[in-house]
Amino acid sequence: MKALQAHQLSKTYRKSKQPALDSLDLEIDAGQIFTMLGRNGAGKTTFLRIASTQLLPTSGTVTVLGLDAVKDAKELRGRIAMAPQEAETIYPLTPRDHVLLSLRMRGMEKGEATKRAQEALDALELTEVADVNSDWLSGGLKQRVIVAMVMRTDADLIFLDEPTIGLDPVNRRRVWDQLTRLKQSGKTIVLTTHYMDEAEALSDSLVIINKGKVMASGTPRSVKAAVTSRTTRVDVFDKFNLSELGAFGHVVTIAGRFRVLTDAEAAKRLGDEAVARNASIAISPVTLDDVFVDIVGEAERGEENGR
Ligand SMILES: Nc1ncnc2c1ncn2[C@@H]1O[C@H](COP(=O)(O)OP(=O)(O)O)[C@@H](O)[C@H]1O
Ligand SMILES: [Mg+2]
């Protein structure tokens, strides 16, 4: 079953010339973690706001859990939850107040909401700060409060807009664990991120969007495979120059060294050459990060050429 379907969805904000979403088509299977990956300004928040009934599209449709996000907005709101991007906590409420309120506002009975609020606070390791004024919390703690607010709702589909922004690596993984648990409990999770490792580690499927358009979609593995025949990367630290490396694959410059994206066979040839020259190299499989830089960079270069 599809949990979400967008058809030719477009949004152009008033006074804006460029569309934020440009005839976007996508489908999300129920029970999955689905990630929308894109740079700042790609259109991720715009999509989430439309799908969660907070913003009207300019044209096209989104169906969420079988309900139209525009026509059936009222009914849909009871079945979804959303953790917005960079949300502020409210002075002088405590983290517990925030989580409790978000459950009570959905109509949950008080005893049940109290129990679930405690579970959500524990899950995100907010137990110690549960009853302090939220204003005293660091940015990372506030962000975890926002995530805790959607952790134990009765919603079937949960949107999270950059849920791990500003979190340290330990807390990012803690949020990943919780999202995986939510999925295991049968919910559909739709999240946005610009962290490639996050998308790769967490998602059953993903789309890469750029300027409101889908550039690639599928599983992390299939996106890597479909978008690029370059399965292998070779980081070259010395003794080669840019033009020589061009013969082995696609070269990108990263912090003063070269990364060659290529296939296994060419990587081996480059490896042999490096041994002959006694050069320092490192060979590894491409990551989603490489793919992202490759296709988003490609699109932007194409556009510049077109001008
Ligand atoms: N309220 C708004 N009014 C006008 N333009 C907006 C508004 N919100 C976002 N945009 C523009 O729409 C595009 C997509 O933004 P957004 O959906 O926030 O991207 P992302 O979440 O991927 O960073 C950007 O070019 C942004 O400047
Ligand atoms: Mg955003």
Side-chain angles (χ1 to χ4, degrees):
M1 198 196 99
K2 298 295 172 200
L4 188 154
Q5 288 167 298
H7 181 64
Q8 291 290 299
L9 189 68
S10 294
K11 174 71 184 182
T12 303
Y13 287 100
R14 233 182 305 161
K15 292 184 187 159
S16 172
K17 290 189 201 86
Q18 300 289 339
L21 293 179
D22 191 355
S23 308
L24 194 90
D25 284 311
L26 60 83
E27 292 191 337
I28 302 176
D29 287 333
Q32 285 203 333
I33 296 183
F34 179 90
T35 303
M36 209 168 210
L37 198 52
R39 298 176 62 187
N40 296 328
K44 304 181 295 294
T45 296
T46 302
F47 177 79
L48 252 53
R49 291 185 63 212
I50 293 173
S52 62
T53 78
Q54 297 167 35
L55 182 71
L56 292 172
T58 307
S59 60
T61 57
V62 201
T63 311
V64 183
L65 302 170
L67 298 167
D68 185 294
V70 176
K71 295 192 200 94
D72 309 318
K74 225 172 163 181
E75 192 184 345
L76 179 54
R77 278 177 201 139
R79 304 213 25 219
I80 59 175
M82 161 99 155
Q85 182 175 9
E86 287 168 10
E88 289 292 326
T89 52
I90 305 163
Y91 173 85
L93 300 183
T94 66
R96 188 187 307 281
D97 295 333
H98 279 82
V99 180
L100 197 56
L101 253 172
S102 87
L103 297 172
R104 293 283 282 150
M105 275 163 56
R106 302 180 65 87
M108 198 179 284
E109 178 270 319
K110 192 169 176 193
E112 179 70 13
T114 305
K115 182 176 132 259
R116 291 201 191 196
Q118 185 65 52
E119 287 170 11
L121 292 162
D122 291 343
L124 287 155
E125 299 210 4
L126 292 164
T127 322
E128 273 177 32
V129 295
D131 300 302
V132 307
N133 183 334
S134 299
D135 247 27
W136 301 350
L137 303 179
S138 67
L141 281 168
K142 284 182 182 163
Q143 182 60 29
R144 274 147 65 194
V145 173
I146 303 300
V147 174
M149 289 170 74
V150 298
M151 276 299 127
R152 290 292 184 274
T153 68
D154 52 1
D156 298 316
L157 186 148
I158 299 160
F159 296 102
L160 299 110
D161 198 355
E162 308 217 16
T164 61
I165 206 149
L167 297 187
D168 64 52
V170 173
N171 281 311
R172 281 177 68 203
R173 276 162 187 75
R174 185 167 288 149
V175 170
W176 298 0
D177 281 348
Q178 291 304 318
L179 295 179
T180 305
R181 278 180 194 214
L182 271 186
K183 177 181 93 164
Q184 284 161 351
S185 74
K187 297 180 191 283
T188 306
I189 315 291
V190 180
L191 65 103
T192 72
T193 187
H194 59 261
Y195 296 122
M196 310 302 145
D197 60 335
E198 182 155 306
E200 194 157 11
L202 204 56
S203 339
D204 298 299
S205 57
L206 61 91
V207 291
I208 296 179
I209 68 166
N210 192 43
K211 299 192 175 152
K213 286 195 167 92
V214 173
M215 308 294 290
S217 64
T219 63
R221 184 194 283 251
S222 76
V223 167
K224 281 194 285 186
V227 168
T228 176
S229 56
R230 301 161 185 145
T231 53
T232 309
R233 74 183 195 200
V234 186
D235 287 311
V236 179
F237 298 94
D238 58 15
K239 299 192 181 145
F240 284 88
N241 64 41
L242 183 61
S243 57
E244 291 176 293
L245 290 173
F248 294 96
H250 177 69
V251 187
V252 288
T253 308
I254 297 169
R257 65 190 153 82
F258 300 118
R259 174 167 291 174
V260 185
L261 302 173
T262 188
D263 57 29
E265 190 270 327
K268 183 170 181 310
R269 277 194 288 121
L270 177 52
D272 291 342
E273 182 62 31
V275 170
R277 294 189 194 187
N278 199 21
S280 303
I281 64 162
I283 300 182
S284 49
V286 292
T287 64
L288 205 51
D289 200 84
D290 297 319
V291 173
F292 184 78
V293 172
D294 209 20
I295 66 165
V296 172
E298 205 85 56
E300 275 164 20
R301 277 195 296 281
E303 220 162 79
E304 277 157 25
N305 294 342
R307 254 181 225 141

